[in-house]
């Protein structure tokens, strides 16, 4: 019975060009990725500052794990609440300008835990329709009423807020949208917050480390809670939630995904702090990345592509799923890896090529990408 349903759904995915079957990766090396017997230029990595590939960072992390061991061996509430972790959280809170912080094993878990626990029956949550799946899953679990507003459309959010109920309200957005590569309008969001009063959660998975002064992200002026993954610009794994002390206490007491899951090891906390000081002194990388992105966007727009994105994530609009897959396959054939984002990652019929740039890319790499895209898109 189950088998029949699974087989039918998979068949449907194949027929509609939505089937996923990721190829295996032999290894990654700087801006390159070795897979299926060939070395390819990698435009699908979130190691934005190249720290995950940096030998000094790797050594630092390896030494921490060697010294402290690879596992917390229990959940935070049993015997996994290490002093080192607490110090690391306080260091992160101070750096990003929040009252307190809490580590999670992944960004997905952080959003799920945070949103499903902080919100509940009687609350109304407004969310940008392009927020990450982990936040949406958190909403679905929360029991709160929720309504989406059009991507980055502050007038639509205001309409929703005006017609909404009287209970506690919150807004969820991202610091840099993971697929579109654009920023939210923080000033307008702040103005709406003043007028209507809501709690604001900003998921800065793609902006912490890379955007804002010292990589402090873009949402601090409006965010009550900031979420950052350490698996992207930090070149590590795990996640950090920046929040008021009361919220932290509440999550530790009521958040099942935190309570019933093995904590991150203390070696992780030490590594996160070590990497934070590298992040602080990475202005040169952040500036380089901005220049690279501006140049790539100009070249792509000049070649006639419709491109979104204002930072290290650029999305080339293709629309049709089949066409997008074909284009990505052709680029892959020419040893360039670009992620074709399709439904449900993006809305149906609005497939894109998601290009992520890292400080490891060079200008001749982006020229190669543009030249190949032009040939493959208009063969
Ligand atoms: C916006 C956003 N939030 C959260 C996550 C989840 O983070 P992690 O990969 O650490 O689970 C991602 C990762 O893809 C993301 O893009």
């Amino acid at each position: 019975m189950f088998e029949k349903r699974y087989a039918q759904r998979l068949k449907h995915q194949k027929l509609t060009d939505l089937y996923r079957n990721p190829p295996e990766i032999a290894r990654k090396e700087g801006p390159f990725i070795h897979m299926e017997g060939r070395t390819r230029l990698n435009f699908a990595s979130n190691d934005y500052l190249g720290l995950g590939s940096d030998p000094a960072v790797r050594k630092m992390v390896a030494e921490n794990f060697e010294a402290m061991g690879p596992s917390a061996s229990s959940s935070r509430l049993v015997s996994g609440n290490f002093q080192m972790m607490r110090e690391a959280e306080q260091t992160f809170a101070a750096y990003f300008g929040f009252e307190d912080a809490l580590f999670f094993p992944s960004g997905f878990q952080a959003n799920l835990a945070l949103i499903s626990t902080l919100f509940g029956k009687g609350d109304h949550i407004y969310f940008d329709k392009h927020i990450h799946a982990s936040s949406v899953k958190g909403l679905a679990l929360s029991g709160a009423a929720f309504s989406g507003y059009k991507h980055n459309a502050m007038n639509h959010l205001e309409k929703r807020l005006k017609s909404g109920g009287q209970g506690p309200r919150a807004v969820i957005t991202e610091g840099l949208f993971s697929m579109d590569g654009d920023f939210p309008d923080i000033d307008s969001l702040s103005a709406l917050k003043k007028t209507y009063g809501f709690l604001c959660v900003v998921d800065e998975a793609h902006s912490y480390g890379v955007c804002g002064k010292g990589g402090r992200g873009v949402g601090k002026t409006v965010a009550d809670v900031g979420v950052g993954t350490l698996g992207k610009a930090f070149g590590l794994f795990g996640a950090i939630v920046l929040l008021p002390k009361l919220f932290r206490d509440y999550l530790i007491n009521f958040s099942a995904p935190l309570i019933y899951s093995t904590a991150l090891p203390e070696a992780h906390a030490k590594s996160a702090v070590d990497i934070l000081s590298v992040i602080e002194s990475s202005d040169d990388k952040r500036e380089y990345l901005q220049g690279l992105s501006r140049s790539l966007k100009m070249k792509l727009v000049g070649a006639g592509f419709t491109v979104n994105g204002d930072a290290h994530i650029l999305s080339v609009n293709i629309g049709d799923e089949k066409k997008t897959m074909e284009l990505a396959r052709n680029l892959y054939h020419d040893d360039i890896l670009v992620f074709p984002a399709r439904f449900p990652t993006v809305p149906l019929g609005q497939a894109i090529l998601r290009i992520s740039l890292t400080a490891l890319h060079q200008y001749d790499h982006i020229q190669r990408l543009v030249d190949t895209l032009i040939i493959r898109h208009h063969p």
Side-chain angles (χ1 to χ4, degrees):
M1 248 167 92
F2 289 109
E3 284 83 352
K4 192 172 165 206
R5 188 171 83 220
Y6 303 156
Q8 263 172 359
R9 289 197 68 189
L10 286 170
K11 190 172 160 201
H12 180 260
Q13 293 298 94
K14 283 181 185 162
L15 285 172
T16 50
D17 290 297
L18 296 173
Y19 184 69
R20 268 98 166 146
N21 185 23
E24 284 171 16
I25 290 145
R27 82 196 141 86
K28 287 181 180 173
E29 193 177 292
F32 299 103
I33 187 162
H34 303 274
M35 54 203 293
E36 299 192 303
R38 294 188 66 91
T39 300
R40 301 166 204 273
L41 195 46
N42 187 4
F43 287 103
S45 166
N46 298 325
D47 184 14
Y48 299 128
L49 299 177
L51 301 188
S53 313
D54 184 333
V57 171
R58 285 182 175 195
K59 188 162 179 280
M60 210 154 64
V61 173
E63 282 172 2
N64 289 333
F65 275 81
E66 192 181 18
M68 295 172 219
S71 177
S73 308
S74 90
S75 95
R76 194 98 185 215
L77 276 71
V78 179
S79 67
N81 192 34
F82 290 95
Q83 206 175 342
M84 177 72 74
M85 227 178 261
R86 197 62 197 111
E87 283 167 19
E89 285 169 349
Q90 280 155 355
T91 304
F92 269 78
Y95 187 82
F96 287 93
F98 285 76
E99 201 180 17
D100 213 329
L102 191 56
F103 278 114
F104 279 87
S106 78
F108 195 102
Q109 192 177 338
N111 277 332
L112 192 79
L114 180 79
I115 293 166
S116 67
T117 311
L118 292 186
F119 308 127
K121 203 161 179 270
D123 302 339
H124 202 121
I125 318 302
Y126 303 90
F127 66 98
D128 186 295
K129 283 192 175 173
H130 286 197
I131 57 168
H132 193 251
S134 51
S135 298
V136 178
K137 293 286 179 203
L139 282 174
L141 277 180
S142 71
F146 51 91
S147 17
Y149 59 90
K150 285 181 207 148
H151 176 53
N152 266 346
M154 290 298 107
N155 50 355
H156 193 215
L157 171 60
E158 181 160 26
K159 226 164 138 182
R160 290 256 192 259
L161 286 163
K162 260 187 191 154
S163 62
Q166 285 309 302
R169 301 194 283 188
V171 170
I172 306 175
T173 187
E174 287 183 13
L176 177 71
F177 281 87
S178 59
M179 291 296 136
D180 313 84
D182 52 359
F183 295 108
D185 179 349
I186 294 293
D187 290 343
S188 302
L189 196 57
S190 299
L192 289 179
K193 189 177 176 184
K194 252 193 207 127
T195 309
Y196 297 96
F198 51 78
L199 185 105
C200 189
V201 178
V202 183
D203 179 351
E204 304 233 29
H206 296 271
S207 36
Y208 279 163
V210 200
C211 305
K213 198 164 178 287
R216 287 177 177 83
V218 302
K220 179 65 192 77
T221 51
V222 73
D224 299 285
V225 177
V227 182
T229 175
L230 303 177
K232 303 188 195 294
F234 281 72
L236 190 66
F237 60 93
I240 186 88
V241 175
L242 299 144
L243 71 187
K245 277 190 193 310
L246 175 72
F247 288 30
R248 184 178 185 280
D249 197 19
Y250 190 75
L251 288 175
I252 285 179
N253 279 275
F254 295 111
S255 183
L258 177 83
I259 297 170
Y260 302 108
S261 182
T262 302
L264 286 167
E266 55 179 337
H268 174 274
K270 173 76 166 66
S271 302
V273 171
D274 290 345
I275 294 174
L276 186 60
S277 41
V278 180
I279 294 269
E280 185 169 19
S281 59
S282 291
D283 280 347
D284 51 342
K285 290 198 174 77
R286 283 185 279 272
E287 272 162 35
Y288 175 75
L289 201 46
Q290 268 179 23
L292 201 65
S293 164
R294 266 197 302 272
S295 171
L296 176 57
K297 189 169 179 180
M298 246 168 56
K299 285 174 195 284
L300 288 171
V301 171
F305 290 99
T306 308
V307 185
N308 286 322
D310 304 311
H312 47 282
I313 301 169
L314 296 179
S315 78
V316 180
N317 293 354
I318 307 293
D320 180 68
E321 280 78 20
K322 198 181 177 76
K323 213 165 134 193
T324 308
M325 289 308 289
E326 248 168 46
L327 190 50
R329 260 194 297 271
N330 286 335
L331 289 172
Y332 187 75
H333 187 263
D334 293 339
D335 295 329
I336 295 179
L337 182 69
V338 171
F339 178 62
R342 297 164 284 168
F343 179 80
T345 309
V346 295
L348 201 60
Q350 295 177 34
I352 57 163
L353 289 182
R354 178 189 185 267
I355 301 168
S356 58
L357 292 168
T358 75
L360 300 167
H361 288 122
Q362 291 166 8
Y363 277 82
D364 60 331
H365 294 150
I366 60 170
Q367 189 60 52
R368 191 175 137 202
L369 171 64
V370 175
D371 293 344
T372 315
L373 254 174
I374 292 171
I375 292 168
R376 286 305 196 169
H377 197 244
H378 310 286

